Amino acid sequence: MSDSEATYPSCVDSLTAEHAQLDMFPSSSAGTGIDREELRAELAGILAKVRAEPDEPLDASDAVHFRNIFFRMADGLPAEEAEQLRLAFETELTRRRLA
């Protein structure tokens, strides 16, 4: 093996196979492979963790980062449901900012 060839653990190959690149512009949401129940559970878990945190301030850059991730994840849900989750998350971020 030459110096320019990298050796990766077998887990990297399995991750690559499991997470093949998705189409960036699918023609419909049905083909995205999003499991909405799994997504709901993940968002609910994130929201629960934020709510369970003590009332200590959250760094502004962290708040923006977490907000962006949460909001983008919520895009996989129906609009009304996503908006309710975003509002709940934003309320918790505001509580943490004011702490």
Side-chain angles (χ1 to χ4, degrees):
M1 182 180 306
S2 71
D3 291 336
S4 64
E5 292 180 32
T7 304
Y8 298 104
S10 61
C11 63
V12 172
D13 292 332
S14 65
L15 284 174
T16 303
E18 287 178 33
H19 302 294
Q21 185 171 358
L22 299 174
D23 183 5
M24 289 180 61
F25 305 103
S27 58
S28 73
S29 61
T32 61
I34 294 174
D35 180 346
R36 288 189 172 162
E37 291 305 314
E38 186 176 318
L39 181 58
R40 282 182 186 102
E42 191 167 346
L43 289 168
I46 293 168
L47 188 55
K49 284 180 185 178
V50 172
R51 285 179 172 155
E53 290 292 322
D55 291 337
E56 56 187 60
L58 186 63
D59 180 79
S61 64
D62 286 344
V64 169
H65 176 73
F66 297 141
R67 181 183 183 275
N68 287 342
I69 291 171
F70 191 90
F71 278 37
R72 286 190 179 225
M73 287 176 67
D75 285 341
L77 297 175
E80 187 175 317
E81 182 178 4
E83 191 56 37
Q84 289 173 353
L85 284 168
R86 287 184 188 112
L87 179 60
F89 191 78
E90 190 66 42
T91 299
E92 290 304 313
L93 286 183
T94 299
R95 175 186 66 84
R96 297 279 305 275
R97 280 189 214 117
L98 297 176

